[in-house]
Protein backbone atom coordinates (compact mmCIF):
# COMPACT_ATOMS: atom_id res chain seq x y z
CA UNK A 1 0.00 0.00 0.00
CA UNK A 2 1.26 3.47 -0.88
CA UNK A 3 1.75 6.02 1.89
CA UNK A 4 -1.33 8.06 0.87
CA UNK A 5 -3.45 4.90 0.69
CA UNK A 6 -2.26 3.85 4.16
CA UNK A 7 -3.07 7.29 5.59
CA UNK A 8 -6.56 7.25 4.02
CA UNK A 9 -7.17 3.74 5.32
CA UNK A 10 -6.04 4.64 8.82
CA UNK A 11 -8.18 7.79 8.83
CA UNK A 12 -11.29 5.91 7.68
CA UNK A 13 -10.87 3.06 10.16
CA UNK A 14 -10.01 5.38 13.05
CA UNK A 15 -12.88 7.76 12.21
CA UNK A 16 -15.41 4.93 11.95
CA UNK A 17 -14.35 3.51 15.32
CA UNK A 18 -14.39 6.91 17.02
CA UNK A 19 -17.76 7.92 15.53
CA UNK A 20 -19.24 4.70 16.88
CA UNK A 21 -17.64 5.29 20.29
CA UNK A 22 -18.88 8.90 20.41
CA UNK A 23 -22.42 7.83 19.53
CA UNK A 24 -22.40 5.07 22.17
CA UNK A 25 -20.99 7.45 24.80
CA UNK A 26 -23.55 10.15 23.94
CA UNK A 27 -26.33 7.58 24.28
CA UNK A 28 -25.14 6.48 27.71
CA UNK A 29 -24.78 10.02 29.06
CA UNK A 30 -27.54 11.87 27.23
CA UNK A 31 -31.30 12.04 27.20
CA UNK A 32 -31.49 8.95 24.98
CA UNK A 33 -29.76 6.64 27.44
CA UNK A 34 -32.45 3.99 27.08
CA UNK A 35 -31.49 3.40 23.42
CA UNK A 36 -28.88 1.12 21.90
CA UNK A 37 -26.87 2.27 18.91
CA UNK A 38 -28.83 -0.17 16.71
CA UNK A 39 -32.12 1.26 17.94
CA UNK A 40 -30.92 4.80 17.24
CA UNK A 41 -29.95 3.81 13.70
CA UNK A 42 -33.37 2.21 13.26
CA UNK A 43 -34.96 5.51 14.33
CA UNK A 44 -32.79 7.25 11.75
CA UNK A 45 -33.91 4.74 9.09
CA UNK A 46 -37.58 5.23 9.96
CA UNK A 47 -36.96 8.94 9.51
CA UNK A 48 -39.50 11.70 9.40
CA UNK A 49 -41.59 9.99 6.72
CA UNK A 50 -41.69 6.49 8.19
CA UNK A 51 -42.01 3.40 6.07
CA UNK A 52 -42.97 -0.24 5.91
CA UNK A 53 -40.88 -2.87 7.61
CA UNK A 54 -39.51 -3.98 4.23
CA UNK A 55 -38.48 -0.42 3.31
CA UNK A 56 -36.79 0.17 6.66
CA UNK A 57 -35.02 -3.21 6.61
CA UNK A 58 -33.59 -2.32 3.18
CA UNK A 59 -32.38 1.07 4.45
CA UNK A 60 -30.59 -0.67 7.33
CA UNK A 61 -29.45 -3.70 5.32
CA UNK A 62 -30.90 -6.08 7.91
CA UNK A 63 -33.36 -8.95 7.78
CA UNK A 64 -37.03 -8.47 8.60
CA UNK A 65 -36.53 -10.69 11.65
CA UNK A 66 -33.75 -8.49 13.00
CA UNK A 67 -35.76 -5.35 12.34
CA UNK A 68 -38.88 -6.81 13.97
CA UNK A 69 -36.97 -7.36 17.21
CA UNK A 70 -35.61 -3.80 17.13
CA UNK A 71 -38.98 -2.24 16.27
CA UNK A 72 -40.67 -4.23 19.08
CA UNK A 73 -38.20 -2.70 21.54
CA UNK A 74 -38.76 0.78 20.12
CA UNK A 75 -42.54 0.40 20.36
CA UNK A 76 -42.21 -0.62 24.05
CA UNK A 77 -39.95 2.39 24.66
CA UNK A 78 -42.47 4.61 22.82
CA UNK A 79 -40.10 5.84 20.10
CA UNK A 80 -42.10 4.38 17.19
CA UNK A 81 -45.59 3.13 16.54
CA UNK A 82 -47.20 0.83 14.02
CA UNK A 83 -50.04 2.25 11.96
CA UNK A 84 -52.19 -0.07 9.87
CA UNK A 85 -53.30 1.13 6.45
CA UNK A 86 -56.99 2.06 6.19
CA UNK A 87 -57.17 0.51 2.68
CA UNK A 88 -55.22 -2.69 3.36
CA UNK A 89 -54.83 -3.85 6.98
CA UNK A 90 -51.91 -6.08 5.95
CA UNK A 91 -49.83 -2.97 5.27
CA UNK A 92 -48.33 -1.54 8.43
CA UNK A 93 -46.35 1.67 8.44
CA UNK A 94 -43.74 2.39 11.11
CA UNK A 95 -43.66 6.03 12.19
CA UNK A 96 -41.82 8.02 14.82
CA UNK A 97 -43.67 9.19 17.90
CA UNK A 98 -42.98 12.61 19.42
CA UNK A 99 -40.26 10.96 21.50
CA UNK A 100 -38.86 9.28 18.38
CA UNK A 101 -38.79 12.58 16.48
CA UNK A 102 -36.83 14.11 19.35
CA UNK A 103 -34.28 11.27 19.18
CA UNK A 104 -34.10 11.65 15.40
CA UNK A 105 -33.39 15.39 15.68
CA UNK A 106 -30.64 14.88 18.27
CA UNK A 107 -28.93 12.23 16.12
CA UNK A 108 -29.37 14.30 12.96
CA UNK A 109 -27.78 17.29 14.72
CA UNK A 110 -24.75 15.15 15.65
CA UNK A 111 -24.27 14.22 11.99
CA UNK A 112 -24.75 17.83 10.89
CA UNK A 113 -22.10 19.12 13.32
CA UNK A 114 -19.72 16.31 12.32
CA UNK A 115 -20.01 17.13 8.60
CA UNK A 116 -19.76 20.90 9.17
CA UNK A 117 -16.55 20.35 11.16
CA UNK A 118 -15.16 18.01 8.50
CA UNK A 119 -15.71 20.63 5.82
CA UNK A 120 -14.20 23.59 7.71
CA UNK A 121 -10.69 22.94 6.36
CA UNK A 122 -11.85 22.14 2.84
CA UNK A 123 -12.37 24.79 0.19
CA UNK A 124 -15.73 24.55 -1.57
CA UNK A 125 -13.88 23.91 -4.84
CA UNK A 126 -12.67 20.62 -3.28
CA UNK A 127 -16.16 19.37 -2.38
CA UNK A 128 -16.61 17.69 -5.77
CA UNK A 129 -13.43 15.61 -5.30
CA UNK A 130 -14.56 14.57 -1.82
CA UNK A 131 -18.04 13.71 -3.11
CA UNK A 132 -16.55 11.60 -5.93
CA UNK A 133 -14.22 9.78 -3.51
CA UNK A 134 -17.01 9.07 -1.01
CA UNK A 135 -19.29 8.02 -3.87
CA UNK A 136 -16.68 5.51 -5.07
CA UNK A 137 -16.35 4.17 -1.51
CA UNK A 138 -20.13 3.90 -1.21
CA UNK A 139 -20.41 2.02 -4.52
CA UNK A 140 -17.66 -0.40 -3.43
CA UNK A 141 -19.35 -1.02 -0.07
CA UNK A 142 -22.77 -1.57 -1.66
CA UNK A 143 -21.37 -3.94 -4.30
CA UNK A 144 -19.41 -5.89 -1.68
CA UNK A 145 -22.37 -6.00 0.71
CA UNK A 146 -24.66 -7.42 -1.98
CA UNK A 147 -22.29 -10.38 -2.34
CA UNK A 148 -22.57 -11.31 1.33
Amino acid sequence: MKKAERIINDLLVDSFNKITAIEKDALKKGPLNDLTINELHAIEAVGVEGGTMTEIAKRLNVTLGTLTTTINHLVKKEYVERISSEEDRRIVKIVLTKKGKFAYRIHDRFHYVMIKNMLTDIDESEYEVLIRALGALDRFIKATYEKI
Side-chain angles (χ1 to χ4, degrees):
M1 211 181 261
K2 296 177 186 172
K3 183 179 178 184
E5 292 168 340
R6 172 62 55 203
I7 291 170
I8 292 168
N9 178 73
D10 292 349
L11 286 169
L12 285 171
V13 170
D14 190 49
S15 293
F16 174 80
N17 291 335
K18 286 186 175 141
I19 289 167
T20 302
I22 289 168
E23 286 182 326
K24 285 179 182 177
D25 186 60
L27 283 175
K28 277 193 276 185
K29 296 178 181 174
L32 308 175
N33 60 9
D34 62 334
L35 291 173
T36 67
I37 195 75
N38 287 338
E39 290 169 344
L40 184 61
H41 288 152
I43 288 170
E44 180 181 36
V46 171
V48 292
E49 299 194 12
T52 65
M53 291 290 282
T54 301
E55 292 166 344
I56 297 164
K58 281 184 183 179
R59 291 177 201 153
L60 289 169
N61 295 310
V62 298
T63 65
L64 280 172
T66 298
L67 181 61
T68 298
T69 300
T70 301
I71 293 298
N72 286 343
H73 288 133
L74 290 172
V75 167
K76 284 180 189 170
K77 294 177 183 183
E78 300 179 345
Y79 284 96
V80 302
E81 61 183 332
R82 292 178 171 95
I83 299 180
S84 296
S85 168
E86 296 285 327
E87 299 82 40
D88 186 345
R89 304 298 274 167
R90 295 173 297 173
I91 299 173
V92 177
K93 189 171 182 179
I94 307 300
V95 296
L96 298 177
T97 61
K98 184 176 180 180
K99 189 175 176 182
K101 289 175 185 173
F102 174 72
Y104 179 87
R105 284 193 310 276
I106 288 175
H107 189 63
D108 190 52
R109 178 76 181 151
F110 168 75
H111 282 249
Y112 173 79
V113 169
M114 179 176 61
I115 298 304
K116 281 300 238 184
N117 278 283
M118 183 181 88
L119 297 176
T120 57
D121 293 335
I122 298 175
D123 187 272
E124 280 191 45
S125 64
E126 298 172 299
Y127 285 10
E128 194 58 42
V129 173
L130 179 59
I131 290 168
R132 277 198 327 266
L134 291 173
L137 175 63
D138 186 59
R139 286 187 299 279
F140 167 76
I141 291 168
K142 284 177 181 170
T144 303
Y145 185 82
E146 287 173 2
K147 294 176 185 174
I148 297 175

